[in-house]
């Protein structure tokens, strides 16, 4: 089955700088790649996603890139703020009647002043 | 707008005791429903999914079972809890029909002693 690797596990950046999180997947049939943000004690929130028919997607300060040949995708947060501090999870799923999301191990992002 | 509720908010249970966790979604008919488990500090593991009433498929069992007695209700249960069942249980929904976006409920924090 699908496996998703996520790096780094811990990321610490200066406020106002950019943060990048990288994920790789194994199944070339995977076609949907969401990113979730989870704050301590809370449920994960879907923040941005990309499908295999796209290479780049941006929502405000969030940019997602997808390289299907390399089977890699990444999240870039520009102009980070303390409120961006949280756990971030990438995930992948393939074509199916249901959404079988396989999650990466998570990245703990800390934005320091 | 869709709303998703989970109950209870938190549980402390003894090893060997039974468990029943519930999830209700309002505002959407015939959603796909999912159960996830998250160990403290860990990633999200999809346990079960259901596309329609009365039908549940297992992804990873972990000595748990799930049922969908009504269109808007999803139940996770076991007759005998293990220490390893401790964690955060999240219900999620998606529209189905190729719409992959999953949205999580607030979760139930389970501690098994």
């Amino acid at each position: 089955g699908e496996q998703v690797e996520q790096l780094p596990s811990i990321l610490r950046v200066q406020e106002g700088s950019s943060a990048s999180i990288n994920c790789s997947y194994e199944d070339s049939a995977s076609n949907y790649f969401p990113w979730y943000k989870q704050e301590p004690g809370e449920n994960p929130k879907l923040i941005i996603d990309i499908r295999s028919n796209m290479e780049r997607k941006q929502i405000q300060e969030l940019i997602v890139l997808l390289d299907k040949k390399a089977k890699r995708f990444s999240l870039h947060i520009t102009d980070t703020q303390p409120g961006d501090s949280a756990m971030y999870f990438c995930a992948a799923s393939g074509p199916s009647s249901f959404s079988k999301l396989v999650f990466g191990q998570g990245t703990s992002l800390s934005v320091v002043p | 707008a869709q709303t998703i509720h989970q109950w209870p908010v938190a549980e402390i249970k003894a090893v060997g005791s039974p468990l029943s966790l519930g999830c209700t979604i309002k505002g959407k008919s015939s959603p796909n429903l999912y159960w996830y488990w998250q160990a403290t500090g860990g990633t999200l593991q999809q346990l079960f999914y259901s596309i329609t009433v009365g039908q549940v498929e297992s992804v990873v069992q972990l000595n748990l079972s799930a049922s969908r007695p009504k269109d808007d209700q999803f139940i996770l249960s076991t007759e005998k809890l293990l220490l390893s069942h401790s964690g955060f249980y999240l219900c999620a929904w998606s529209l189905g029909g190729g719409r992959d976006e999953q949205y999580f409920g607030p979760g139930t924090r389970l501690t098994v002693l």
Side-chain angles (χ1 to χ4, degrees), chain A residues 32 36 38 43 51 98-99 104, chain B residues 34 38 43 100 102 104-105:
Chain A
Y32 175 65
Y36 287 84
Q38 186 176 27
N43 58 350
R51 298 182 187 278
F98 75 101
S99 180
Chain B
Y34 310 84
Q38 184 179 33
T43 190
D100 302 294
Q102 285 190 32
F104 287 89

Side-chain angles (χ1 to χ4, degrees), chain B residues 22-113:
Chain B
C23 170
T24 297
I25 178 164
K26 298 296 184 187
K28 180 71 188 85
S29 64
S30 303
N32 287 357
L33 295 175
Y34 310 84
W35 276 112
Y36 284 84
W37 172 73
Q38 184 179 33
T40 301
T43 190
L44 296 132
Q45 171 68 64
Q46 195 176 85
L47 301 176
F48 298 93
Y49 70 91
S50 172
I51 296 173
T52 190
V53 175
Q55 288 188 7
V56 176
E57 299 295 332
S58 170
V59 178
V60 174
Q61 273 205 329
L62 298 183
N63 292 308
L64 297 165
S65 60
S67 64
R68 187 169 177 178
K70 300 179 186 177
D71 184 55
D72 63 352
Q73 198 173 79
F74 207 19
I75 306 295
L76 183 71
S77 60
T78 182
E79 292 189 1
K80 271 191 176 181
L81 279 166
L82 307 172
L83 283 174
S84 57
H85 284 136
S86 291
F88 198 31
Y89 287 85
L90 292 146
C91 181
W93 69 273
S94 69
L95 286 172
R99 295 294 303 274
D100 302 294
E101 298 90 338
Q102 285 190 32
Y103 302 95
F104 287 89
T108 295
R109 180 85 47 194
L110 174 67
T111 303
V112 183
L113 301 174

Side-chain angles (χ1 to χ4, degrees), chain B residues 1 6 20 27 98 107:
Chain B
Q6 286 188 244
S20 181

Side-chain angles (χ1 to χ4, degrees), chain B residues 7-21:
Chain B
W7 72 91
V9 172
E11 277 265 49
I12 300 175
K13 302 278 279 185
V15 169
S17 63
L19 175 76
S20 181
L21 303 180

Side-chain angles (χ1 to χ4, degrees), chain A residues 60-97:
Chain A
Q60 297 180 330
E61 79 280 5
L62 303 176
I63 300 170
V64 173
L65 302 176
L66 173 62
D67 182 342
K68 285 179 292 185
K69 276 188 180 175
K71 290 191 275 189
R72 287 201 289 252
F73 59 112
S74 56
L75 173 69
H76 306 272
I77 307 172
T78 60
D79 189 23
T80 52
Q81 300 299 312
D84 294 322
S85 297
M87 281 292 292
Y88 289 81
F89 292 96
C90 64
S93 73
S96 175
S97 57

